Amino acid sequence: MTENKCKEPLGIKMAAARAVESLLPTKSKNLYNKRYEEFKKWCASKTVQEYTENVMLAYFEEKQQGFSPSSLWSLYSMLKATILVKKNIDISRFPKLIAFIKRQNDGYKPKKSKVLTREEMDRFLIDAPNDKYLLSKVVLTLGVAGACRGNELCTSKITDVRDVGDMLVVNIRDTKTNVDRTFTIVNNDRSNLNFVELCRKYMSLRKPNTNHDRFFVYYKDNKCTVQPIGKNFFGKLPRQIATFLNLSDAYFYTGHCFRRSSASLLADAGAGADVSALKRHGGWRSATVAEGYVENSLNNKIQTAEKILIGHEQGTSTVNANSSTSANVAIKEIRGEHVAPIINLHNCENCIINVNIAK
């Protein structure tokens, strides 16, 4: 009996090829293909015919000498996707390879951008003259309020910032994780900083003949140009702010400073700043990064210590007063600031408060 073999129509094959090709991320497709071509050249130089686990181990063993562990994982991720698309080989089934890459994290401490404190932000926004730093102030305000990446600020459009009276509503659409975010700009009653008016002033200087819709354009001497700002500007701006404030190690305030500062400030705020809130705020898919900010929050550590060592229940007026004060004092002492603490009392009735001032 002759077996009937069904041949796939050409249209089906072409459609399937397009579907497979779409498995690579659109934004990073060129980089993925570049890494794959580098791997192919290495294989050709070693006369490799098949992509076995030993081949992958040898390649990554060579690469780990010049790559940080995080970059090695990134390389693995790109090759995993491209080899699956091009050769239908799933390297995630290579347990020794994954174990080898994991091992590279032992003892590794990644270099992270330094963060700006709320006091440092306020000082820059108040002290820096508008004729030179208005643009920088607006970038700082939006960047920290929305935990924005440099590319997200660069690609923001004028229609993404809406003035709704007492606040500004900002939409971030072109995100790394393809998850749209929305945040608001409100005023700071604590320090009398009018964030909304600051942004309005910059927006009002936009030239009517600007022939593009990018939100950020260059600014100098109280005037805006029509030229949109490139992404390199946003990467260098935190260092310029740190330099203005005479902060030590200004070089370590990188383009990720605004995003890290935003998450750190939210985590240190205490109430409501849990992992879920941080994930929503920064648009992180994984809880790992958000958990790191909560775990490293000094405010969170102080409250935990009080629960363990003192036995207070979170939410009582005693803990609200003591936690807020002790957290502020501890944070300022770590930063080398010697100032009198500010005591905040909440939900207190029929209280007698004794204040002893030691000279």
Side-chain angles (χ1 to χ4, degrees), residues 176-239:
K176 182 179 179 180
T177 57
N178 297 316
V179 177
D180 291 353
R181 304 197 311 276
T182 300
F183 64 93
T184 59
I185 302 296
V186 296
N187 288 327
N188 184 355
D189 296 331
R190 175 179 54 82
S191 60
N192 296 320
L193 280 170
N194 197 323
F195 297 120
V196 176
E197 287 303 320
L198 193 69
C199 295
R200 282 174 179 160
K201 182 175 182 179
Y202 175 75
M203 294 165 66
S204 68
L205 296 174
R206 186 182 181 89
K207 291 184 177 295
N209 61 335
T210 304
N211 59 359
H212 58 83
D213 59 357
R214 294 259 288 276
F215 180 80
F216 286 108
V217 292
Y218 280 101
Y219 168 88
K220 185 178 181 181
D221 298 329
N222 292 315
K223 295 180 181 179
C224 283
T225 70
V226 298
Q227 183 181 358
I229 297 178
K231 62 180 181 180
N232 290 337
F233 172 87
F234 300 98
K236 296 176 181 178
L237 184 57
R239 188 195 314 172

Side-chain angles (χ1 to χ4, degrees), residues 65-86:
Q65 298 176 14
F67 279 59
S68 67
S70 57
S71 297
L72 212 60
W73 274 115
S74 178
L75 176 62
Y76 165 79
S77 177
M78 287 186 279
L79 287 179
K80 181 180 70 172
T82 50
I83 291 175
L84 182 62
V85 168
K86 309 289 186 181

Side-chain angles (χ1 to χ4, degrees), residues 179-353:
V179 177
D180 291 353
R181 304 197 311 276
T182 300
F183 64 93
T184 59
I185 302 296
V186 296
N187 288 327
N188 184 355
D189 296 331
R190 175 179 54 82
S191 60
N192 296 320
L193 280 170
N194 197 323
F195 297 120
V196 176
E197 287 303 320
L198 193 69
C199 295
R200 282 174 179 160
K201 182 175 182 179
Y202 175 75
M203 294 165 66
S204 68
L205 296 174
R206 186 182 181 89
K207 291 184 177 295
N209 61 335
T210 304
N211 59 359
H212 58 83
D213 59 357
R214 294 259 288 276
F215 180 80
F216 286 108
V217 292
Y218 280 101
Y219 168 88
K220 185 178 181 181
D221 298 329
N222 292 315
K223 295 180 181 179
C224 283
T225 70
V226 298
Q227 183 181 358
I229 297 178
K231 62 180 181 180
N232 290 337
F233 172 87
F234 300 98
K236 296 176 181 178
L237 184 57
R239 188 195 314 172
Q240 295 174 3
I241 293 173
T243 301
F244 177 88
L245 295 172
N246 292 319
L247 302 180
S248 60
D249 299 322
Y251 184 81
F252 290 100
Y253 290 82
T254 68
H256 212 53
C257 172
F258 298 148
R259 187 164 171 81
R260 293 200 71 240
S261 298
S262 181
S264 298
L265 290 171
L266 180 57
D268 271 328
D274 56 9
V275 173
S276 298
L278 278 167
K279 284 180 65 178
R280 289 193 300 271
H281 177 60
W284 289 294
R285 290 178 178 175
S286 170
T288 303
V289 177
E291 285 173 352
Y293 286 109
V294 173
E295 290 171 1
N296 292 325
S297 166
L298 186 59
N299 227 338
N300 185 58
K301 291 181 184 296
I302 292 171
Q303 291 179 15
T304 301
E306 289 180 345
K307 291 177 188 177
I308 295 172
L309 302 176
I310 303 174
H312 289 311
E313 291 292 333
Q314 186 178 12
T316 63
S317 59
T318 303
V319 173
N320 280 340
N322 290 341
S323 294
S324 175
T325 303
S326 57
N328 286 334
V329 172
I331 291 171
K332 290 176 180 178
E333 286 180 350
I334 287 174
R335 292 171 186 150
E337 301 175 22
H338 301 286
V339 295
I342 298 174
I343 301 176
N344 298 314
L345 302 178
H346 306 281
N347 301 323
C348 298
E349 295 181 1
N350 299 322
C351 296
I352 298 175
I353 302 173

Side-chain angles (χ1 to χ4, degrees), residues 69 73 96-108:
W73 274 115
K96 295 177 184 177
L97 173 63
I98 296 174
F100 172 79
I101 300 175
K102 286 182 178 179
R103 182 63 64 188
Q104 307 312 307
N105 284 311
D106 292 351
Y108 173 73

